[in-house]
């Protein structure tokens, strides 16, 4: 037999179908929302549009959608796709890892590989990951200048890419580098959950009339679940524990939130196959505060492990009271779990817990971040952090969020909408056990952000590019608003009925 080179080089063009099939086989994943978005985006680009934007709610599955879009573009003849991600090592690692796990061909490569002397972007197909870092973009640019019809996909496109110097007739470095990367020869696709800044900034000339809404899948839990309309909702479908304004962040309240998390984990693991769950703590930007909180959790854990400690019995009595209340809430004829069973489980398994700080000075604190985000490996996993967990990172099996990070003055809608890390694909059976712990005033302010966000989403989908803000929250930083093309008005808001 003789080697058939032509057969080896034949392009199959079946990446898209293979990816969809793999997702459909994964727990009966419904891919119709991915398909609708990818097909709409492809049709818009095929019509000649060179710059567009895909928007969808936080944690609604946009990474899978972007993977599918890359497959579709490669199948359709695109040779080079540049994936721009937030300038964050952990987020970059998680995003790239998910593309690799999806089995996409070509496999993603770092921008550092591309700038090697022997690497040739003009041959075969390439998926290049690059952070929105001015130095990295500057190094990448010379290697892409001769490529035409390259597609630049900008994840979290409202972050860094908009030009905050637009009214000074200048460009920020990131905006300039991204603009140079796209130039007149290539295609730009922005992806974000919070498009207001792009809308007000006219970022890379994306026309809102050509934007695509990515519908969340049926297993998605977002702002309508966590921030329901108080006029329509009599009771929350999860547990909201409100903290006092004076004491939020105190050791006692952190301890109670942690004990509540442990009780929920124990109940679930006693009633079904054992799983690993996450408690996310987001209270401060300051790294010193994260270390302080970690020490609080370590001390609590050490007491729960030390039966000679003077507080040992007190702590387990506190856990017993919480467990007793939980058991009374979930009385079942098929599951017979007592408060004593829960306390015993916690005592026997609290050593199988981990407390991780994701933000540290000058280096990564966690070598394998997936153990604390997408693939928790401890029944009791506590994750503490600031900006690292503010945007983009996905936390699988999150069962508790302790959130006390407020701001003085007006709340930035984009920032706080992105901090809703509890949003996403969740097991419906777990949601009655989910606990959000935060000050009542902060919850009310956060609810206000999502009320304005809902108005923006509904208007965008109806073809009316409009964003709304209040005296307590701001939709877009004023420096990013293109004052030559954006009308700003105060007072009562009036528009056509949108639903």
């Amino acid at each position: 037999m003789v080697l058939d080179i032509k057969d080896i080089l034949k392009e199959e063009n079946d990446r898209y179908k293979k990816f969809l099939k793999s997702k459909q086989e994964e727990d009966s994943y419904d891919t119709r929302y991915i398909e609708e978005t990818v097909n709409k985006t492809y049709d818009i680009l095929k019509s000649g549009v060179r710059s567009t934007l895909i928007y969808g709610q936080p944690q609604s599955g946009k990474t899978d959608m972007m993977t599918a879009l890359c497959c579709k573009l490669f199948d359709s003849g695109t040779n080079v796709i540049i994936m721009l991600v937030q300038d964050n090592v952990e987020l970059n690692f998680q995003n790239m890892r998910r593309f690799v796990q999806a089995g996409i061909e070509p496999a993603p490569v770092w921008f550092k590989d591309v700038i090697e002397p022997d690497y040739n972007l003009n041959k075969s197909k390439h998926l290049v990951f690059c952070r929105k870092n001015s130095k990295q973009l500057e190094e990448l640019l010379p290697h892409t200048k001769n490529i035409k019809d390259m597609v630049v996909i900008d994840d979290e496109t409202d972050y860094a890419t908009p030009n905050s110097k637009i009214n000074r007739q200048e460009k920020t470095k990131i905006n300039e580098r991204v603009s140079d990367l796209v130039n007149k020869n290539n295609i730009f696709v922005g992806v974000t959950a919070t498009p207001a800044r792009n809308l007000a900034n006219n970022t890379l000339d994306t026309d809102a009339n050509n934007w695509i809404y990515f519908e969340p899948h049926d297993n998605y839990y977002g702002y309508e679940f966590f921030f329901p309309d108080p006029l329509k909702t009599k009771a929350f479908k999860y547990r909201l524990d409100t903290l006092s304004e004076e004491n939020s962040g105190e050791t006692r309240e952190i301890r109670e939130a942690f004990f509540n998390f442990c009780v929920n984990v124990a109940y679930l693991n006693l009633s079904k196959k054992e799983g690993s769950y996450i408690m996310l703590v987001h209270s401060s930007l300051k790294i010193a505060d994260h270390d302080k909180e970690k020490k609080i959790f370590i001390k609590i854990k050490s007491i729960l492990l030390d039966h000679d400690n003077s507080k040992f019995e007190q702590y387990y009595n506190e856990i017993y009271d919480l467990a007793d209340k939980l058991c009374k809430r979930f009385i079942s004829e098929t599951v017979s779990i007592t408060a004593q069973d829960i306390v015993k489980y916690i005592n026997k398994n609290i050593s199988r817990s981990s407390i991780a700080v994701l933000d540290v000075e000058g280096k990564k604190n966690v070598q394998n971040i997936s153990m604390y985000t997408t693939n928790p490996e401890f029944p009791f996993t506590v994750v503490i952090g600031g900006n690292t967990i503010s945007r983009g990172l996905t936390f699988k099996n999150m069962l508790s969020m302790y959130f006390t990070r407020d701001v003085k003055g007006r709340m930035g809608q984009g920032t706080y909408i992105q901090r809703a890390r509890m949003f996403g694909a969740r097991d419906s059976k777990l949601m009655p056990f989910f606990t959000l712990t935060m000050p009542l005033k902060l919850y009310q302010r956060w609810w206000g952000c999502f009320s304005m966000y809902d108005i923006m989403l509904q208007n965008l989908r109806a073809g009316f590019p409009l964003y709304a803000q209040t005296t307590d929250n701001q939709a877009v930083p004023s420096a990013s608003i293109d004052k030559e093309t954006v009308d700003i008005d105060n007072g009562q808001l009036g528009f056509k009925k949108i639903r």
Side-chain angles (χ1 to χ4, degrees), residues 266-401:
Y267 185 92
L268 289 169
N269 284 347
L270 287 167
S271 60
K272 63 181 187 64
K273 182 180 178 181
E274 189 172 76
S276 298
Y277 300 93
I278 290 174
M279 175 181 180
L280 186 62
V281 179
H282 187 58
S283 61
S284 174
L285 176 64
K286 297 178 181 178
I287 291 171
D289 290 341
H290 306 159
D291 291 334
K292 180 181 176 182
E293 286 168 339
K294 181 177 181 179
K295 290 176 182 177
I296 292 172
F297 281 101
I298 289 174
K299 185 174 182 179
I300 295 169
K301 177 179 175 180
S302 66
I303 292 172
L304 294 177
L305 288 168
D306 181 7
H307 60 81
D308 291 325
N309 192 286
S310 60
K311 292 185 178 180
F312 179 84
E313 189 171 343
Q314 173 199 330
Y315 279 15
Y316 276 106
N317 273 314
E318 291 177 11
I319 292 172
Y320 183 89
D321 289 341
L322 291 170
D324 189 50
K325 291 177 182 177
L326 180 73
C327 290
K328 289 175 180 176
R329 281 175 59 209
F330 295 100
I331 295 175
S332 171
E333 295 179 0
T334 57
V335 179
S336 179
I337 298 172
T338 67
Q340 186 74 19
D341 296 330
I342 290 173
V343 172
K344 188 173 182 179
Y345 179 91
I346 294 171
N347 177 254
K348 298 299 182 184
N349 292 280
I350 194 62
S351 62
R352 298 167 63 205
S353 59
S354 179
I355 301 149
V357 175
L358 300 187
D359 295 277
V360 292
E361 196 72 52
K363 62 180 180 179
K364 286 199 303 178
N365 191 41
V366 181
Q367 294 302 312
N368 182 6
I369 197 168
S370 67
M371 292 173 65
Y372 306 93
T373 53
T374 52
N375 297 294
E377 297 182 11
F378 307 93
F380 308 102
T381 303
V382 177
V383 184
I384 305 166
N387 278 347
T388 295
I389 64 175
S390 290
R391 178 186 282 264
L393 276 181
T394 298
F395 294 88
K396 185 179 179 180
N397 280 1
M398 188 200 300
L399 203 61
S400 175
M401 185 171 181

Side-chain angles (χ1 to χ4, degrees), residues 99-310:
F99 272 77
V100 171
Q101 289 176 332
I104 191 169
E105 185 277 315
V109 295
W110 298 113
F111 94 99
K112 280 288 187 183
D113 297 326
V114 171
I115 63 177
E116 289 293 322
D118 293 330
Y119 198 100
N120 190 349
L121 275 176
N122 290 295
K123 297 292 184 179
S124 68
K125 295 183 183 292
H126 308 268
L127 175 57
V128 182
F129 271 65
C130 183
R131 301 209 304 269
K132 285 187 272 190
N133 175 291
S134 59
K135 290 184 179 180
Q136 291 187 8
L137 288 167
E138 191 172 7
E139 288 184 76
L140 179 62
L141 277 169
H143 300 268
T144 63
K145 63 181 180 180
N146 295 323
I147 299 174
K148 292 184 178 180
D149 296 322
M150 175 177 74
V151 177
V152 177
I153 300 179
D154 183 10
D155 190 19
E156 308 285 357
T157 190
D158 65 301
Y159 182 85
T161 305
N163 180 20
S164 60
K165 296 182 179 180
I166 192 165
N167 297 304
R168 292 156 51 182
Q169 308 304 314
E170 299 177 39
K171 284 188 174 184
T172 57
K173 285 187 177 181
I174 298 297
N175 181 266
E176 184 176 12
R177 299 288 184 272
V178 175
S179 299
D180 290 342
L181 188 66
V182 177
N183 63 58
K184 63 181 180 181
N185 295 317
N186 300 312
I187 294 168
F188 177 80
V189 179
V191 180
T192 183
T194 47
R197 193 176 180 198
N198 298 80
L199 179 62
N201 190 248
N202 292 312
T203 308
L204 274 86
D205 300 319
T206 58
D207 183 352
N209 292 313
N210 293 317
W211 288 5
I212 305 101
Y213 179 65
F214 176 49
E215 192 83 38
H217 51 78
D218 294 339
N219 201 30
Y220 175 75
Y221 289 84
Y223 69 90
E224 292 178 329
F225 178 84
F226 288 100
F227 298 92
D229 187 335
L231 298 178
K232 299 178 181 178
T233 306
K234 294 182 179 179
F236 285 88
K237 296 179 181 179
Y238 69 98
R239 178 171 171 171
L240 175 64
D241 284 348
T242 56
L243 303 172
S244 62
E245 300 298 325
E246 296 79 16
N247 298 320
S248 59
E250 292 295 319
T251 302
R252 180 181 59 79
E253 294 186 320
I254 290 177
R255 186 175 76 240
E256 184 174 339
F258 178 58
F259 286 172
N260 180 67
F261 167 68
C262 292
V263 165
N264 284 329
V265 171
Y267 185 92
L268 289 169
N269 284 347
L270 287 167
S271 60
K272 63 181 187 64
K273 182 180 178 181
E274 189 172 76
S276 298
Y277 300 93
I278 290 174
M279 175 181 180
L280 186 62
V281 179
H282 187 58
S283 61
S284 174
L285 176 64
K286 297 178 181 178
I287 291 171
D289 290 341
H290 306 159
D291 291 334
K292 180 181 176 182
E293 286 168 339
K294 181 177 181 179
K295 290 176 182 177
I296 292 172
F297 281 101
I298 289 174
K299 185 174 182 179
I300 295 169
K301 177 179 175 180
S302 66
I303 292 172
L304 294 177
L305 288 168
D306 181 7
H307 60 81
D308 291 325
N309 192 286
S310 60

